[in-house]
Amino acid sequence: MFQLKLNQTNAKREMLAGLTTFLTMVYIIIVNPSILSQAGVPSDQVFIATIISTVIGTLWMGLVANYPIAIAPGMGLNAFFTYSVVQASHGEIDYMTAFASVFIAGLIFVVLSLTSFREKLINAIPANLKYSITAGIGLFIAFLGLRSSGIIVDSKSTNLIELGDLTSPSALLTIFGLLFTVILMVRRMPGAIFVGMIVTGIIAYFADMLTITKVVAAPHLPEGILMWNPIAAMGDIVEYSLYGVVFSFILVTLFDTTGTMVGVAKQAGLIKEDGKLPRARKALLGDSIATTIGAMFGTSPNAAFVESSAGVAAGGRTGLTAVTVAVLFAASSFFGPLVSSLSSVAAITSPVLIIVGALMISTIKEVDWSSMDETLPVFLVMLIMPLTSSISTGIAFGFIAYPILKVAKGEWRKVHPLLYIFAVLFVIQLVFL
């Protein structure tokens, strides 16, 4: 099934690679409940939903696509769900309505993945805008990490924010956790982020900042299946004009997964000589199916995790690596009470947000800064996202500015027709919706 000999690997190496990938990305089962619970979703619900969508998406990648790539709820998308959709509505949109937009985005994503349109959409977006979206999300979630820890706080003067009390327990523990984890990463320790969270959690426990009453319990979904009816979900989107939200979920997940998948596949030597991704359509269905199922149970959109590259570096070449990751995530479902306790302490999860933000902004090195018609749209995307706490607003400003500047420069033919359509839709969203 996995063609181990053909890929010059063996079962032992693949399972060790799966363990490596699991350790580098298992932090998501702690961070995701921490973020989505702020939107009102029960922490236990998010925990199990995270595992269900991760297991299904990753098993798909392993058994159907035969890729050593793991799928899980994407960082940045969970923050967008909580802060830009639910909290920004000031009570008008609850998490059930927000999950309707994730559900519909997932269904649309499945259709796109079954056709060639997904590839055409990727090619239509200029490379610089793709890089800016990833970098902007990185700034956004790093900002959230600094803010939730108390390192920066709302300003009482004319500035938006200011430095918080660095002597507060939360800020001190966050700074320790950040430095300790980064040192482990510099030393190339496998699972550095997860180990950093555990060590920070131990310190929090002895400092009376963390209370653990129970460690293990049978997996359960407090609210059962949240979303299953596409018609009802579409009705919510129309009622609350969540078209831009759906589009943003699709767009960000599209770039996240495609970029990660190509990068990890290249690292694993799976790209053909013609530069094409084998079994591409099967692989691209993984995140869309996981996103749809994740919304049904209670989590934000899923994407391919760049942490899969750690498993590839450890020798993973086939779907057996992904299957190992899925089995380990399934086993972790029994540790719900412990995860719930850890995710309730901001100082434990904040360093992860800052570190992942730093990793995401590294894409900015690929941007062409040589002309203002390329520079300004990129700058607007990166600036607007953290300032407005909205990924979709940042994308909108960039996608509106880009075609306008290209037309002004006389290079309107270089802009894909889809981009003009997106620009008009974003103007309508910002002005009228």
Side-chain angles (χ1 to χ4, degrees):
M1 176 187 292
F2 299 112
Q3 299 178 315
L4 298 179
K5 291 184 178 179
L6 182 63
N7 287 282
Q8 299 179 332
T9 184
N10 56 62
K12 180 181 179 181
R13 185 183 303 160
E14 292 292 304
M15 288 188 283
L16 285 174
L19 175 61
T20 301
T21 297
F22 171 76
L23 289 174
T24 59
M25 64 178 287
V26 68
Y27 67 83
I28 193 65
I29 67 174
I30 300 175
V31 176
N32 208 39
S34 172
I35 293 176
L36 294 188
S37 63
Q38 296 178 55
V41 194
S43 181
D44 289 348
Q45 183 84 20
V46 182
F47 171 69
I48 295 299
T50 299
I51 291 176
I52 290 173
S53 61
T54 298
V55 169
I56 291 175
T58 304
L59 280 178
W60 179 279
M61 291 298 292
L63 298 176
V64 179
N66 196 24
Y67 277 167
I69 297 175
I71 303 288
M75 291 293 294
L77 289 166
N78 47 16
F80 175 52
F81 179 99
T82 296
Y83 304 105
S84 302
V85 181
V86 178
Q87 289 191 3
S89 72
H90 302 292
E92 183 178 352
I93 298 173
D94 60 14
Y95 66 83
M96 287 294 293
T97 304
F99 277 131
S101 65
V102 178
F103 186 56
I104 294 299
L107 292 175
I108 294 174
F109 214 24
V110 169
V111 174
L112 291 178
S113 300
L114 289 171
T115 67
S116 61
F117 187 75
R118 180 170 181 174
E119 184 178 353
K120 291 179 180 178
L121 185 59
I122 293 170
N123 294 332
I125 309 302
N128 282 346
L129 285 181
K130 296 175 188 176
Y131 299 138
S132 69
I133 290 172
T134 302
I137 293 173
L139 286 174
F140 176 38
I141 64 176
F143 170 74
L144 293 175
L146 291 169
R147 192 170 185 172
S148 63
S149 66
I151 292 178
I152 58 174
V153 296
D154 292 337
S155 177
K156 297 178 182 178
S157 59
T158 55
N159 294 322
L160 294 174
I161 56 174
E162 62 185 20
L163 189 65
D165 180 9
L166 297 184
T167 63
S168 68
S170 180
L172 285 173
L173 187 56
T174 298
I175 293 171
F176 166 81
L178 177 62
L179 291 175
F180 180 76
T181 305
V182 170
I183 289 172
L184 294 182
M185 295 175 71
V186 170
R187 302 291 299 177
R188 300 185 182 277
M189 179 179 181
I193 293 179
F194 180 63
V195 173
M197 293 183 74
I198 295 301
V199 171
T200 305
I202 292 173
I203 295 174
Y205 178 79
F206 286 106
D208 292 329
M209 296 172 63
L210 169 65
T211 302
I212 299 176
T213 55
K214 196 175 182 181
V215 175
V216 179
H220 71 290
L221 283 164
E223 299 192 1
I225 297 177
L226 303 180
M227 193 70 50
W228 61 272
N229 189 336
I231 297 176
M234 196 64 208
D236 287 342
I237 290 170
V238 173
E239 180 180 353
Y240 293 97
S241 300
L242 296 175
Y243 313 107
V245 173
V246 172
F247 180 67
S248 295
F249 278 140
I250 292 174
L251 204 61
V252 175
T253 309
L254 185 77
F255 298 146
D256 258 10
T257 294
T258 306
T260 298
M261 204 170 292
V262 171
V264 175
K266 281 183 179 178
Q267 182 187 358
L270 301 175
I271 301 291
K272 292 183 177 180
E273 292 181 1
D274 58 3
K276 292 185 178 179
L277 196 68
R279 306 178 300 282
R281 192 162 294 180
K282 291 180 179 179
L284 293 173
L285 272 169
D287 57 349
S288 52
I289 291 173
T291 293
T292 306
I293 293 174
M296 294 173 64
F297 289 99
T299 188
S300 48
N302 283 241
F305 257 52
V306 72
E307 284 84 352
S308 302
S309 61
V312 170
R317 294 294 181 273
T318 73
L320 182 55
T321 295
V323 171
T324 303
V325 174
V327 170
L328 291 172
F329 266 98
S332 68
S333 64
F334 292 92
F335 295 90
L338 176 61
V339 168
S340 180
S341 298
L342 293 173
S343 63
S344 66
V345 180
I348 297 174
T349 57
S350 292
V352 179
L353 297 177
I354 299 168
I355 290 169
V356 173
L359 294 173
M360 293 180 74
I361 201 176
S362 65
T363 61
I364 209 66
K365 67 179 183 293
E366 307 292 343
V367 171
D368 176 13
W369 299 100
S370 60
S371 58
M372 186 55 69
D373 55 305
E374 296 283 345
T375 297
L376 184 64
V378 170
F379 178 70
L380 288 176
V381 171
M382 293 175 57
L383 180 68
I384 298 298
M385 281 188 189
L387 288 182
T388 62
S389 295
S390 173
I391 292 173
S392 62
T393 303
I395 293 174
F397 271 81
F399 276 54
I400 292 170
Y402 189 87
I404 291 175
L405 294 176
K406 287 299 181 182
V407 170
K409 193 178 180 180
E411 296 182 349
W412 60 272
R413 290 185 181 87
K414 293 183 179 181
V415 180
H416 195 284
L418 280 174
L419 212 61
Y420 289 112
I421 297 174
F422 292 157
V424 172
L425 293 175
F426 275 128
V427 169
I428 293 172
Q429 178 199 350
L430 291 177
V431 177
F432 300 106
L433 302 180

